Amino acid sequence: MTQTRTAVAEDPAKVAAFEARIAAGESIEPKDWMPEKYRRQLVRMMSQHAHSEIVGMLPEGNWITRAPSLRRKISLIAKVQDEAGHGLYIYCGTETLGVDRSELVGQLLDGTAKYSSIFNYPTLSWADIGVIGWFVDGAAIVNQTILAKASYGPYARAMIRVCKEENFHKRQGYEIVSVLANGTPAQKAMVQDAVDRWWWPSLMMFGPSDTDSPNTAELIRWKVKRKTNDELRQRFVNLTVPQAMAVNLTLPDPDMRHDAETENWEFGAIDWDEFNQVIRGNGPCNKERLDARRKAHDEGAWVREAASAYAAKQRASQAAEAA
Ligand code: FAQ
């Protein structure tokens, strides 16, 4: 089924009933009537999210063979597998909106779909694995805990499960960070360097500032988003600053200061030019990431063919039994 449907005038009574359900805090389920724009917004957001989970395996997968101990290797393999599960789970959720997964994957592979900017940065040292768990999974939890209250039932339910696993990921990351931060001077320097490189890209994960976010107003009105990009970014900063202090690491922002009145940690200016370059495909690793996904997709063709052949065989034998 194709994602682009012909725009038809929608029955105002149906639209009004839908808006009333949203206002009453009801959950919208796959078989319920929904405006086409609501459906398209969800397909956009959920497919980008699923792609992010899948591409997000690559930076960390890069360190599985070089994890410093068996224990670290086991937990990293488990984390990367969890991200694959999240991706597949969210693709399934997206399919409840009448799109085909192969169409969405095709958009990722041909470079027309977006995925999170954060995964276009390289993992240069083992400390990056700790900092990704701490910052990137930490940011994902802040964002997704709120999405667990999204008005679309399958997405909200997926987020509840995903967040439980992300919590473990964040803890394994912060534990790696705290061990390195309390280690030798070289280990401390390595983890500080990782913090310096990942801090600003992590803040960009929350998307453009509210004034430059074309989708936020509509998504808030439909209760898909419950908080704006800037609100969630600020929450992440407020949670993370004390965690950095606890392990004596410095966040690379000379303008950061605590505002006693709002109780917020005010932060400096984000480099939106860098963000825009990355989401347009010009980040440090965009090409490498898509090349890796295309290679994996091509090498997995035989599995998809075998599964389709088996499904066809099953259908044929069921039809023969029924005849
Ligand atoms: N990267 O109008 P808005 C994870 C795009 S999962 C790339 O503000 P919206 C787990 C945006 O799509 C991380 N593109 O958009 C993990 C839109 O483009 P479009 C992913 C971005 O939807 C951890 C345009 O800019 N999480 O990390 C980004 O209202 C560790 C205008 O933006 C999700 O996807 C960006 N950072 O708000 C895995 C959560 N930000 O489509 C492995 C679900 C914005 O109009 C290891 N998504 N854009 O062409 C969301 O919450 C929202 O979609 C936002 C963006 C907040 C990402």
Side-chain angles (χ1 to χ4, degrees), residues 48-83:
Q48 287 179 6
H49 190 168
H51 298 328
S52 305
E53 301 278 359
I54 297 297
V55 178
M57 289 191 283
L58 296 169
E60 290 174 290
N62 184 34
W63 277 88
I64 289 174
T65 54
R66 290 172 290 162
S69 70
L70 184 59
R71 179 176 163 248
R72 293 294 190 210
K73 192 192 283 266
I74 290 168
S75 56
L76 183 57
I77 290 173
K79 178 182 193 293
V80 172
Q81 273 181 340
D82 283 351
E83 309 300 359

PDB file of all heavy atoms in Angstrom, residues 48-83:
ATOM      1  N   GLN A  48      10.784   7.493  10.886  1.00  0.00           N
ATOM      2  CA  GLN A  48      12.092   8.091  11.190  1.00  0.00           C
ATOM      3  C   GLN A  48      12.657   7.502  12.481  1.00  0.00           C
ATOM      4  O   GLN A  48      13.854   7.264  12.606  1.00  0.00           O
ATOM      5  CB  GLN A  48      11.959   9.610  11.365  1.00  0.00           C
ATOM      6  CG  GLN A  48      11.724  10.351  10.062  1.00  0.00           C
ATOM      7  CD  GLN A  48      11.566  11.862  10.272  1.00  0.00           C
ATOM      8  OE1 GLN A  48      11.728  12.376  11.362  1.00  0.00           O
ATOM      9  NE2 GLN A  48      11.234  12.563   9.201  1.00  0.00           N
ATOM     10  N   HIS A  49      11.765   7.272  13.428  1.00  0.00           N
ATOM     11  CA  HIS A  49      12.193   6.717  14.712  1.00  0.00           C
ATOM     12  C   HIS A  49      12.721   5.285  14.516  1.00  0.00           C
ATOM     13  O   HIS A  49      13.797   4.926  15.005  1.00  0.00           O
ATOM     14  CB  HIS A  49      11.009   6.754  15.686  1.00  0.00           C
ATOM     15  CG  HIS A  49      11.376   6.444  17.097  1.00  0.00           C
ATOM     16  ND1 HIS A  49      10.520   6.649  18.148  1.00  0.00           N
ATOM     17  CD2 HIS A  49      12.501   5.919  17.645  1.00  0.00           C
ATOM     18  CE1 HIS A  49      11.123   6.293  19.273  1.00  0.00           C
ATOM     19  NE2 HIS A  49      12.319   5.837  18.989  1.00  0.00           N
ATOM     20  N   ALA A  50      11.965   4.477  13.765  1.00  0.00           N
ATOM     21  CA  ALA A  50      12.409   3.090  13.520  1.00  0.00           C
ATOM     22  C   ALA A  50      13.759   3.077  12.793  1.00  0.00           C
ATOM     23  O   ALA A  50      14.678   2.339  13.178  1.00  0.00           O
ATOM     24  CB  ALA A  50      11.349   2.349  12.698  1.00  0.00           C
ATOM     25  N   HIS A  51      13.891   3.934  11.767  1.00  0.00           N
ATOM     26  CA  HIS A  51      15.176   3.997  11.049  1.00  0.00           C
ATOM     27  C   HIS A  51      16.315   4.368  12.015  1.00  0.00           C
ATOM     28  O   HIS A  51      17.421   3.841  11.914  1.00  0.00           O
ATOM     29  CB  HIS A  51      15.152   5.068   9.947  1.00  0.00           C
ATOM     30  CG  HIS A  51      14.132   4.844   8.867  1.00  0.00           C
ATOM     31  ND1 HIS A  51      13.738   3.610   8.438  1.00  0.00           N
ATOM     32  CD2 HIS A  51      13.434   5.730   8.095  1.00  0.00           C
ATOM     33  CE1 HIS A  51      12.846   3.732   7.465  1.00  0.00           C
ATOM     34  NE2 HIS A  51      12.641   5.008   7.242  1.00  0.00           N
ATOM     35  N   SER A  52      16.017   5.281  12.949  1.00  0.00           N
ATOM     36  CA  SER A  52      17.066   5.729  13.887  1.00  0.00           C
ATOM     37  C   SER A  52      17.550   4.574  14.746  1.00  0.00           C
ATOM     38  O   SER A  52      18.748   4.444  15.028  1.00  0.00           O
ATOM     39  CB  SER A  52      16.531   6.833  14.811  1.00  0.00           C
ATOM     40  OG  SER A  52      16.008   7.896  14.067  1.00  0.00           O
ATOM     41  N   GLU A  53      16.611   3.753  15.188  1.00  0.00           N
ATOM     42  CA  GLU A  53      17.003   2.609  16.022  1.00  0.00           C
ATOM     43  C   GLU A  53      17.909   1.665  15.223  1.00  0.00           C
ATOM     44  O   GLU A  53      18.888   1.137  15.754  1.00  0.00           O
ATOM     45  CB  GLU A  53      15.763   1.849  16.512  1.00  0.00           C
ATOM     46  CG  GLU A  53      14.789   2.682  17.346  1.00  0.00           C
ATOM     47  CD  GLU A  53      15.184   2.813  18.818  1.00  0.00           C
ATOM     48  OE1 GLU A  53      16.212   2.235  19.214  1.00  0.00           O
ATOM     49  OE2 GLU A  53      14.469   3.514  19.558  1.00  0.00           O
ATOM     50  N   ILE A  54      17.559   1.461  13.963  1.00  0.00           N
ATOM     51  CA  ILE A  54      18.335   0.518  13.139  1.00  0.00           C
ATOM     52  C   ILE A  54      19.716   1.101  12.803  1.00  0.00           C
ATOM     53  O   ILE A  54      20.744   0.446  12.995  1.00  0.00           O
ATOM     54  CB  ILE A  54      17.541   0.169  11.837  1.00  0.00           C
ATOM     55  CG1 ILE A  54      16.222  -0.541  12.206  1.00  0.00           C
ATOM     56  CG2 ILE A  54      18.383  -0.663  10.875  1.00  0.00           C
ATOM     57  CD1 ILE A  54      16.360  -1.869  12.913  1.00  0.00           C
ATOM     58  N   VAL A  55      19.747   2.350  12.336  1.00  0.00           N
ATOM     59  CA  VAL A  55      21.047   2.968  12.022  1.00  0.00           C
ATOM     60  C   VAL A  55      21.847   3.145  13.315  1.00  0.00           C
ATOM     61  O   VAL A  55      23.081   3.041  13.317  1.00  0.00           O
ATOM     62  CB  VAL A  55      20.866   4.321  11.284  1.00  0.00           C
ATOM     63  CG1 VAL A  55      22.223   4.969  11.007  1.00  0.00           C
ATOM     64  CG2 VAL A  55      20.109   4.123   9.975  1.00  0.00           C
ATOM     65  N   GLY A  56      21.130   3.357  14.425  1.00  0.00           N
ATOM     66  CA  GLY A  56      21.783   3.576  15.717  1.00  0.00           C
ATOM     67  C   GLY A  56      22.595   2.386  16.206  1.00  0.00           C
ATOM     68  O   GLY A  56      23.409   2.518  17.124  1.00  0.00           O
ATOM     69  N   MET A  57      22.378   1.226  15.592  1.00  0.00           N
ATOM     70  CA  MET A  57      23.191   0.064  15.976  1.00  0.00           C
ATOM     71  C   MET A  57      24.628   0.206  15.478  1.00  0.00           C
ATOM     72  O   MET A  57      25.548  -0.397  16.026  1.00  0.00           O
ATOM     73  CB  MET A  57      22.612  -1.217  15.370  1.00  0.00           C
ATOM     74  CG  MET A  57      21.316  -1.653  15.998  1.00  0.00           C
ATOM     75  SD  MET A  57      20.909  -3.311  15.438  1.00  0.00           S
ATOM     76  CE  MET A  57      20.297  -2.997  13.806  1.00  0.00           C
ATOM     77  N   LEU A  58      24.820   0.985  14.406  1.00  0.00           N
ATOM     78  CA  LEU A  58      26.131   0.982  13.741  1.00  0.00           C
ATOM     79  C   LEU A  58      27.265   1.610  14.562  1.00  0.00           C
ATOM     80  O   LEU A  58      28.330   1.004  14.684  1.00  0.00           O
ATOM     81  CB  LEU A  58      26.015   1.657  12.360  1.00  0.00           C
ATOM     82  CG  LEU A  58      25.111   0.915  11.373  1.00  0.00           C
ATOM     83  CD1 LEU A  58      24.826   1.770  10.149  1.00  0.00           C
ATOM     84  CD2 LEU A  58      25.747  -0.401  10.950  1.00  0.00           C
ATOM     85  N   PRO A  59      27.056   2.821  15.133  1.00  0.00           N
ATOM     86  CA  PRO A  59      28.188   3.404  15.877  1.00  0.00           C
ATOM     87  C   PRO A  59      28.648   2.517  17.028  1.00  0.00           C
ATOM     88  O   PRO A  59      29.850   2.398  17.284  1.00  0.00           O
ATOM     89  CB  PRO A  59      27.620   4.732  16.408  1.00  0.00           C
ATOM     90  CG  PRO A  59      26.393   5.010  15.600  1.00  0.00           C
ATOM     91  CD  PRO A  59      25.891   3.703  15.083  1.00  0.00           C
ATOM     92  N   GLU A  60      27.709   1.881  17.720  1.00  0.00           N
ATOM     93  CA  GLU A  60      28.102   1.036  18.856  1.00  0.00           C
ATOM     94  C   GLU A  60      28.576  -0.337  18.407  1.00  0.00           C
ATOM     95  O   GLU A  60      29.503  -0.905  18.989  1.00  0.00           O
ATOM     96  CB  GLU A  60      26.931   0.898  19.817  1.00  0.00           C
ATOM     97  CG  GLU A  60      26.650   2.197  20.534  1.00  0.00           C
ATOM     98  CD  GLU A  60      25.413   2.099  21.382  1.00  0.00           C
ATOM     99  OE1 GLU A  60      24.311   2.025  20.814  1.00  0.00           O
ATOM    100  OE2 GLU A  60      25.561   2.059  22.607  1.00  0.00           O
ATOM    101  N   GLY A  61      27.953  -0.849  17.343  1.00  0.00           N
ATOM    102  CA  GLY A  61      28.364  -2.150  16.807  1.00  0.00           C
ATOM    103  C   GLY A  61      29.857  -2.130  16.472  1.00  0.00           C
ATOM    104  O   GLY A  61      30.568  -3.137  16.587  1.00  0.00           O
ATOM    105  N   ASN A  62      30.329  -0.959  16.091  1.00  0.00           N
ATOM    106  CA  ASN A  62      31.736  -0.740  15.755  1.00  0.00           C
ATOM    107  C   ASN A  62      32.689  -1.138  16.886  1.00  0.00           C
ATOM    108  O   ASN A  62      33.852  -1.421  16.655  1.00  0.00           O
ATOM    109  CB  ASN A  62      31.859   0.776  15.454  1.00  0.00           C
ATOM    110  CG  ASN A  62      33.224   1.189  14.987  1.00  0.00           C
ATOM    111  OD1 ASN A  62      33.879   0.428  14.296  1.00  0.00           O
ATOM    112  ND2 ASN A  62      33.656   2.386  15.354  1.00  0.00           N
ATOM    113  N   TRP A  63      32.187  -1.155  18.143  1.00  0.00           N
ATOM    114  CA  TRP A  63      33.067  -1.437  19.283  1.00  0.00           C
ATOM    115  C   TRP A  63      32.875  -2.828  19.888  1.00  0.00           C
ATOM    116  O   TRP A  63      33.562  -3.179  20.858  1.00  0.00           O
ATOM    117  CB  TRP A  63      32.906  -0.346  20.362  1.00  0.00           C
ATOM    118  CG  TRP A  63      33.767   0.833  19.992  1.00  0.00           C
ATOM    119  CD1 TRP A  63      33.404   1.882  19.198  1.00  0.00           C
ATOM    120  CD2 TRP A  63      35.144   1.032  20.303  1.00  0.00           C
ATOM    121  NE1 TRP A  63      34.472   2.726  19.011  1.00  0.00           N
ATOM    122  CE2 TRP A  63      35.557   2.229  19.681  1.00  0.00           C
ATOM    123  CE3 TRP A  63      36.084   0.308  21.045  1.00  0.00           C
ATOM    124  CZ2 TRP A  63      36.855   2.725  19.793  1.00  0.00           C
ATOM    125  CZ3 TRP A  63      37.379   0.808  21.154  1.00  0.00           C
ATOM    126  CH2 TRP A  63      37.742   2.001  20.523  1.00  0.00           C
ATOM    127  N   ILE A  64      31.973  -3.638  19.320  1.00  0.00           N
ATOM    128  CA  ILE A  64      31.732  -4.964  19.927  1.00  0.00           C
ATOM    129  C   ILE A  64      33.020  -5.795  19.952  1.00  0.00           C
ATOM    130  O   ILE A  64      33.360  -6.403  20.966  1.00  0.00           O
ATOM    131  CB  ILE A  64      30.583  -5.707  19.200  1.00  0.00           C
ATOM    132  CG1 ILE A  64      29.253  -5.029  19.519  1.00  0.00           C
ATOM    133  CG2 ILE A  64      30.542  -7.186  19.612  1.00  0.00           C
ATOM    134  CD1 ILE A  64      28.052  -5.562  18.761  1.00  0.00           C
ATOM    135  N   THR A  65      33.755  -5.783  18.861  1.00  0.00           N
ATOM    136  CA  THR A  65      34.970  -6.623  18.812  1.00  0.00           C
ATOM    137  C   THR A  65      36.098  -6.059  19.678  1.00  0.00           C
ATOM    138  O   THR A  65      37.088  -6.735  19.923  1.00  0.00           O
ATOM    139  CB  THR A  65      35.501  -6.729  17.362  1.00  0.00           C
ATOM    140  OG1 THR A  65      35.668  -5.395  16.858  1.00  0.00           O
ATOM    141  CG2 THR A  65      34.562  -7.509  16.473  1.00  0.00           C
ATOM    142  N   ARG A  66      35.960  -4.803  20.113  1.00  0.00           N
ATOM    143  CA  ARG A  66      37.050  -4.174  20.868  1.00  0.00           C
ATOM    144  C   ARG A  66      36.653  -3.823  22.296  1.00  0.00           C
ATOM    145  O   ARG A  66      37.346  -3.040  22.959  1.00  0.00           O
ATOM    146  CB  ARG A  66      37.527  -2.926  20.127  1.00  0.00           C
ATOM    147  CG  ARG A  66      38.256  -3.278  18.841  1.00  0.00           C
ATOM    148  CD  ARG A  66      38.561  -2.050  18.023  1.00  0.00           C
ATOM    149  NE  ARG A  66      37.347  -1.472  17.458  1.00  0.00           N
ATOM    150  CZ  ARG A  66      37.265  -0.234  16.998  1.00  0.00           C
ATOM    151  NH1 ARG A  66      38.300   0.557  17.063  1.00  0.00           N
ATOM    152  NH2 ARG A  66      36.145   0.208  16.469  1.00  0.00           N
ATOM    153  N   ALA A  67      35.528  -4.379  22.778  1.00  0.00           N
ATOM    154  CA  ALA A  67      35.113  -4.096  24.164  1.00  0.00           C
ATOM    155  C   ALA A  67      36.225  -4.571  25.096  1.00  0.00           C
ATOM    156  O   ALA A  67      36.859  -5.601  24.844  1.00  0.00           O
ATOM    157  CB  ALA A  67      33.815  -4.826  24.459  1.00  0.00           C
ATOM    158  N   PRO A  68      36.489  -3.818  26.186  1.00  0.00           N
ATOM    159  CA  PRO A  68      37.674  -4.135  26.996  1.00  0.00           C
ATOM    160  C   PRO A  68      37.559  -5.367  27.887  1.00  0.00           C
ATOM    161  O   PRO A  68      38.572  -5.791  28.458  1.00  0.00           O
ATOM    162  CB  PRO A  68      37.862  -2.866  27.846  1.00  0.00           C
ATOM    163  CG  PRO A  68      36.526  -2.205  27.870  1.00  0.00           C
ATOM    164  CD  PRO A  68      35.854  -2.566  26.591  1.00  0.00           C
ATOM    165  N   SER A  69      36.371  -5.943  28.044  1.00  0.00           N
ATOM    166  CA  SER A  69      36.269  -7.176  28.844  1.00  0.00           C
ATOM    167  C   SER A  69      35.082  -7.988  28.336  1.00  0.00           C
ATOM    168  O   SER A  69      34.225  -7.466  27.600  1.00  0.00           O
ATOM    169  CB  SER A  69      36.062  -6.847  30.332  1.00  0.00           C
ATOM    170  OG  SER A  69      34.764  -6.317  30.513  1.00  0.00           O
ATOM    171  N   LEU A  70      35.022  -9.241  28.771  1.00  0.00           N
ATOM    172  CA  LEU A  70      33.908 -10.094  28.340  1.00  0.00           C
ATOM    173  C   LEU A  70      32.576  -9.516  28.824  1.00  0.00           C
ATOM    174  O   LEU A  70      31.584  -9.481  28.092  1.00  0.00           O
ATOM    175  CB  LEU A  70      34.117 -11.514  28.892  1.00  0.00           C
ATOM    176  CG  LEU A  70      33.081 -12.549  28.459  1.00  0.00           C
ATOM    177  CD1 LEU A  70      33.029 -12.685  26.942  1.00  0.00           C
ATOM    178  CD2 LEU A  70      33.374 -13.904  29.103  1.00  0.00           C
ATOM    179  N   ARG A  71      32.587  -9.040  30.069  1.00  0.00           N
ATOM    180  CA  ARG A  71      31.351  -8.473  30.634  1.00  0.00           C
ATOM    181  C   ARG A  71      30.856  -7.276  29.797  1.00  0.00           C
ATOM    182  O   ARG A  71      29.679  -7.153  29.471  1.00  0.00           O
ATOM    183  CB  ARG A  71      31.618  -8.035  32.084  1.00  0.00           C
ATOM    184  CG  ARG A  71      30.425  -7.424  32.748  1.00  0.00           C
ATOM    185  CD  ARG A  71      30.680  -7.082  34.217  1.00  0.00           C
ATOM    186  NE  ARG A  71      29.662  -6.155  34.648  1.00  0.00           N
ATOM    187  CZ  ARG A  71      29.889  -4.891  34.969  1.00  0.00           C
ATOM    188  NH1 ARG A  71      31.097  -4.403  34.952  1.00  0.00           N
ATOM    189  NH2 ARG A  71      28.891  -4.109  35.319  1.00  0.00           N
ATOM    190  N   ARG A  72      31.793  -6.391  29.438  1.00  0.00           N
ATOM    191  CA  ARG A  72      31.425  -5.222  28.618  1.00  0.00           C
ATOM    192  C   ARG A  72      30.922  -5.671  27.244  1.00  0.00           C
ATOM    193  O   ARG A  72      29.994  -5.102  26.687  1.00  0.00           O
ATOM    194  CB  ARG A  72      32.633  -4.305  28.424  1.00  0.00           C
ATOM    195  CG  ARG A  72      33.132  -3.619  29.681  1.00  0.00           C
ATOM    196  CD  ARG A  72      32.113  -2.642  30.225  1.00  0.00           C
ATOM    197  NE  ARG A  72      32.666  -1.822  31.278  1.00  0.00           N
ATOM    198  CZ  ARG A  72      31.951  -1.326  32.280  1.00  0.00           C
ATOM    199  NH1 ARG A  72      30.665  -1.573  32.372  1.00  0.00           N
ATOM    200  NH2 ARG A  72      32.512  -0.570  33.191  1.00  0.00           N
ATOM    201  N   LYS A  73      31.557  -6.711  26.704  1.00  0.00           N
ATOM    202  CA  LYS A  73      31.168  -7.187  25.374  1.00  0.00           C
ATOM    203  C   LYS A  73      29.742  -7.754  25.407  1.00  0.00           C
ATOM    204  O   LYS A  73      28.920  -7.442  24.546  1.00  0.00           O
ATOM    205  CB  LYS A  73      32.161  -8.265  24.881  1.00  0.00           C
ATOM    206  CG  LYS A  73      31.988  -8.592  23.396  1.00  0.00           C
ATOM    207  CD  LYS A  73      32.752  -9.844  23.013  1.00  0.00           C
ATOM    208  CE  LYS A  73      34.224  -9.656  22.853  1.00  0.00           C
ATOM    209  NZ  LYS A  73      34.641  -9.381  21.468  1.00  0.00           N
ATOM    210  N   ILE A  74      29.457  -8.543  26.443  1.00  0.00           N
ATOM    211  CA  ILE A  74      28.122  -9.152  26.548  1.00  0.00           C
ATOM    212  C   ILE A  74      27.047  -8.063  26.643  1.00  0.00           C
ATOM    213  O   ILE A  74      26.025  -8.111  25.962  1.00  0.00           O
ATOM    214  CB  ILE A  74      28.051 -10.090  27.778  1.00  0.00           C
ATOM    215  CG1 ILE A  74      28.906 -11.337  27.543  1.00  0.00           C
ATOM    216  CG2 ILE A  74      26.610 -10.498  28.086  1.00  0.00           C
ATOM    217  CD1 ILE A  74      29.124 -12.184  28.796  1.00  0.00           C
ATOM    218  N   SER A  75      27.303  -7.053  27.504  1.00  0.00           N
ATOM    219  CA  SER A  75      26.247  -6.044  27.663  1.00  0.00           C
ATOM    220  C   SER A  75      26.120  -5.171  26.420  1.00  0.00           C
ATOM    221  O   SER A  75      25.026  -4.757  26.051  1.00  0.00           O
ATOM    222  CB  SER A  75      26.410  -5.217  28.941  1.00  0.00           C
ATOM    223  OG  SER A  75      27.660  -4.628  28.968  1.00  0.00           O
ATOM    224  N   LEU A  76      27.229  -4.950  25.701  1.00  0.00           N
ATOM    225  CA  LEU A  76      27.122  -4.137  24.472  1.00  0.00           C
ATOM    226  C   LEU A  76      26.366  -4.915  23.383  1.00  0.00           C
ATOM    227  O   LEU A  76      25.515  -4.343  22.691  1.00  0.00           O
ATOM    228  CB  LEU A  76      28.515  -3.712  23.993  1.00  0.00           C
ATOM    229  CG  LEU A  76      28.539  -2.807  22.760  1.00  0.00           C
ATOM    230  CD1 LEU A  76      27.725  -1.530  22.966  1.00  0.00           C
ATOM    231  CD2 LEU A  76      29.974  -2.437  22.367  1.00  0.00           C
ATOM    232  N   ILE A  77      26.656  -6.207  23.258  1.00  0.00           N
ATOM    233  CA  ILE A  77      25.927  -7.008  22.263  1.00  0.00           C
ATOM    234  C   ILE A  77      24.430  -6.967  22.584  1.00  0.00           C
ATOM    235  O   ILE A  77      23.585  -6.766  21.708  1.00  0.00           O
ATOM    236  CB  ILE A  77      26.427  -8.478  22.237  1.00  0.00           C
ATOM    237  CG1 ILE A  77      27.830  -8.555  21.654  1.00  0.00           C
ATOM    238  CG2 ILE A  77      25.484  -9.360  21.427  1.00  0.00           C
ATOM    239  CD1 ILE A  77      28.478  -9.941  21.748  1.00  0.00           C
ATOM    240  N   ALA A  78      24.102  -7.119  23.880  1.00  0.00           N
ATOM    241  CA  ALA A  78      22.686  -7.127  24.271  1.00  0.00           C
ATOM    242  C   ALA A  78      22.039  -5.781  23.952  1.00  0.00           C
ATOM    243  O   ALA A  78      20.905  -5.721  23.464  1.00  0.00           O
ATOM    244  CB  ALA A  78      22.563  -7.439  25.766  1.00  0.00           C
ATOM    245  N   LYS A  79      22.774  -4.705  24.195  1.00  0.00           N
ATOM    246  CA  LYS A  79      22.213  -3.367  23.932  1.00  0.00           C
ATOM    247  C   LYS A  79      21.936  -3.185  22.440  1.00  0.00           C
ATOM    248  O   LYS A  79      20.863  -2.743  22.038  1.00  0.00           O
ATOM    249  CB  LYS A  79      23.190  -2.283  24.425  1.00  0.00           C
ATOM    250  CG  LYS A  79      22.694  -0.883  24.148  1.00  0.00           C
ATOM    251  CD  LYS A  79      23.703   0.158  24.596  1.00  0.00           C
ATOM    252  CE  LYS A  79      23.120   1.556  24.622  1.00  0.00           C
ATOM    253  NZ  LYS A  79      22.761   2.109  23.329  1.00  0.00           N
ATOM    254  N   VAL A  80      22.919  -3.570  21.619  1.00  0.00           N
ATOM    255  CA  VAL A  80      22.757  -3.390  20.174  1.00  0.00           C
ATOM    256  C   VAL A  80      21.582  -4.247  19.674  1.00  0.00           C
ATOM    257  O   VAL A  80      20.776  -3.805  18.847  1.00  0.00           O
ATOM    258  CB  VAL A  80      24.093  -3.693  19.445  1.00  0.00           C
ATOM    259  CG1 VAL A  80      23.909  -3.708  17.940  1.00  0.00           C
ATOM    260  CG2 VAL A  80      25.146  -2.648  19.822  1.00  0.00           C
ATOM    261  N   GLN A  81      21.458  -5.457  20.236  1.00  0.00           N
ATOM    262  CA  GLN A  81      20.313  -6.300  19.856  1.00  0.00           C
ATOM    263  C   GLN A  81      18.990  -5.647  20.264  1.00  0.00           C
ATOM    264  O   GLN A  81      18.005  -5.724  19.543  1.00  0.00           O
ATOM    265  CB  GLN A  81      20.411  -7.662  20.547  1.00  0.00           C
ATOM    266  CG  GLN A  81      21.240  -8.650  19.764  1.00  0.00           C
ATOM    267  CD  GLN A  81      21.316 -10.000  20.459  1.00  0.00           C
ATOM    268  OE1 GLN A  81      21.073 -10.122  21.649  1.00  0.00           O
ATOM    269  NE2 GLN A  81      21.675 -11.014  19.705  1.00  0.00           N
ATOM    270  N   ASP A  82      18.988  -5.021  21.445  1.00  0.00           N
ATOM    271  CA  ASP A  82      17.771  -4.330  21.891  1.00  0.00           C
ATOM    272  C   ASP A  82      17.363  -3.264  20.878  1.00  0.00           C
ATOM    273  O   ASP A  82      16.183  -3.094  20.572  1.00  0.00           O
ATOM    274  CB  ASP A  82      17.995  -3.618  23.240  1.00  0.00           C
ATOM    275  CG  ASP A  82      17.993  -4.567  24.432  1.00  0.00           C
ATOM    276  OD1 ASP A  82      17.661  -5.747  24.264  1.00  0.00           O
ATOM    277  OD2 ASP A  82      18.335  -4.090  25.540  1.00  0.00           O
ATOM    278  N   GLU A  83      18.363  -2.527  20.359  1.00  0.00           N
ATOM    279  CA  GLU A  83      18.031  -1.440  19.416  1.00  0.00           C
ATOM    280  C   GLU A  83      17.397  -2.034  18.152  1.00  0.00           C
ATOM    281  O   GLU A  83      16.458  -1.460  17.599  1.00  0.00           O
ATOM    282  CB  GLU A  83      19.272  -0.612  19.033  1.00  0.00           C
ATOM    283  CG  GLU A  83      20.140  -0.087  20.177  1.00  0.00           C
ATOM    284  CD  GLU A  83      19.442   0.840  21.168  1.00  0.00           C
ATOM    285  OE1 GLU A  83      18.246   1.122  20.994  1.00  0.00           O
ATOM    286  OE2 GLU A  83      20.105   1.263  22.128  1.00  0.00           O
TER     287      GLU A  83
END
